[in-house]
Amino acid sequence: MKHFLDISDLSATDFSTLLEAAHARKQARLSSGTPRPTAAPDDDAPLRDMLLAMIFDKPSTRTRLSFDVAMRQLGGQTLILNRGDAQFGRGETFADTAQVVSRLSDVIMFRTGAHRNLTELAQHSSVPVINGLTDSSHPCQIVADLMTFEERKGKLGGQRLAWIGDGNNVAVSFVHAAALLDFELALACPPDYQLPTTIIETAKKSAKKGRGKITLCPTPADAAQGAAAIITDCWVSMGDDDGDDPARKAKRLAALAPYQITPALMAQGDDAIFLHCLPAYRGQEVAAEVIDGAAS
Ligand code: NVA
């Protein structure tokens, strides 16, 4: 049994295989003649009669929808447990939650705050657990982003992608991916909002063994230079305590202001596409013309 807690737990071969399989399954569905209704299963329905339990300790729109629809398309069924109506919401441990949920399901997706909640749940689960976002990482988002990138810009090999803005959970999973695959990730984050040094150092070491590359840039323009994709995310994530403290929030927004993705910054790229995991705040991390424009 294998969990999917972080991209950094995978081998380069496993991660490439995952991406290839996702492309192939999407293509097979699209090219199978008349468009299928959303919940109609794929011909092979590989997860027929299986149950995915989704545990939400935090809000979700896209992850909830995409996991639910994907499970139906793979032939299986889904069940949702939200913080507000499950016992973990009033203090039951994730270890105990894992035992009962895994006894009554075939796979679990978990979205939570502290990453240790996820590892505790995985440790006590008898079925595979998928990370649906923690404060530390968001691996499934990066699988989706890299698929989208390849659909629009061709194979990742040798391409440059730029992350500009907060060094948050989504950025961490991007760095994990750049450590495994053959592309360059150029990052520009304000000094106080960088990714953890250990993440960067470990990823740089693994990247050296493969053909990936992680470059830390002093300015947004440096990172955007020649990039085939320019990527950002909100400036205050769900897990940021800064969001609850007006002074810290103001300091954060001021530090990130020069990192907004504007049309001028997009023009530094090489016919770059724009990626954002959403939810987006127009006028903060991205100008409306960019996120609502043709390259988005
Ligand atoms: N960095 C964001 C991603 C939301 C999908 C957050 O954690 O809130």
Side-chain angles (χ1 to χ4, degrees):
M1 184 182 78
K2 239 181 182 175
H3 300 301
F4 182 38
L5 304 187
D6 266 316
I7 291 170
S8 52
D9 298 335
L10 302 183
S11 68
T13 311
D14 277 354
F15 192 40
S16 307
T17 308
L18 179 66
L19 275 176
E20 290 309 317
H23 278 305
R25 182 160 291 280
K26 185 168 176 181
Q27 269 321 309
R29 191 172 174 93
L30 289 175
S31 58
S32 67
T34 43
R36 294 181 186 209
T38 306
D42 292 347
D43 290 335
D44 59 346
L47 300 187
R48 190 185 306 281
D49 296 337
M50 292 199 183
L51 182 67
L52 163 72
M54 293 186 273
I55 309 179
F56 288 105
D57 187 18
K58 283 198 165 186
S60 169
T61 299
R62 279 150 283 266
T63 299
R64 182 185 304 251
L65 272 165
S66 55
F67 268 82
D68 201 317
V69 170
M71 192 59 185
R72 291 163 201 242
Q73 294 187 352
L74 294 168
Q77 300 190 32
T78 61
L79 175 146
I80 292 180
L81 280 174
N82 290 313
R83 179 176 185 80
D85 46 44
Q87 298 291 7
F88 68 82
R90 46 188 283 259
E92 181 169 28
T93 65
F94 289 110
D96 287 350
T97 303
Q99 290 185 46
V100 67
V101 177
S102 64
R103 216 176 280 141
L104 295 170
S105 65
D106 302 286
V107 54
I108 297 173
M109 187 277 278
F110 185 30
R111 167 168 289 196
T112 188
H115 200 78
R116 64 173 179 281
N117 297 343
L118 175 75
T119 48
E120 178 183 327
L121 188 109
Q123 206 184 336
H124 292 88
S125 167
S126 55
V127 300
V129 174
I130 301 172
N131 177 355
L133 179 146
T134 70
D135 292 348
S136 306
S137 59
H138 194 7
C140 295
Q141 178 64 47
I142 278 45
V143 177
D145 283 348
L146 296 182
M147 271 186 79
T148 304
F149 178 86
E150 288 197 320
E151 285 174 352
R152 302 298 161 120
K153 303 294 286 180
K155 287 276 164 213
L156 270 168
Q159 304 227 41
R160 177 178 167 103
L161 284 67
W163 176 277
I164 297 171
D166 187 25
N168 66 13
N169 47 358
V170 179
V172 166
S173 290
F174 252 112
V175 166
H176 287 160
L180 285 185
L181 301 183
D182 170 25
F183 71 93
E184 178 184 8
L185 183 69
L187 297 132
C189 310
D192 289 343
Y193 304 95
Q194 303 268 347
L195 288 83
T197 319
T198 48
I199 300 274
I200 297 286
E201 291 314 317
T202 314
K204 276 189 166 181
K205 265 186 220 147
S206 333
K208 235 185 232 164
K209 289 186 214 139
R211 283 166 302 166
K213 196 174 168 193
I214 293 145
T215 312
L216 300 184
C217 301
T219 68
D222 287 310
Q225 203 61 50
I230 294 179
I231 313 156
T232 195
D233 187 10
C234 59
W235 287 344
V236 186
S237 283
M238 290 184 274
D240 284 331
D241 302 336
D242 289 3
D244 308 324
D245 179 311
R248 290 218 314 264
K249 186 172 173 190
K251 180 175 170 251
R252 170 179 276 274
L253 298 189
L256 280 152
Y259 292 72
Q260 186 186 84
I261 313 298
T262 58
L265 195 58
M266 287 297 294
Q268 305 281 313
D270 177 11
D271 191 25
I273 58 166
F274 172 71
L275 292 170
H276 189 310
C277 65
L278 302 169
Y281 298 84
R282 288 165 178 78
Q284 287 194 17
E285 74 274 10
V286 60
E289 305 94 284
V290 172
I291 192 164
D292 300 321
S296 177

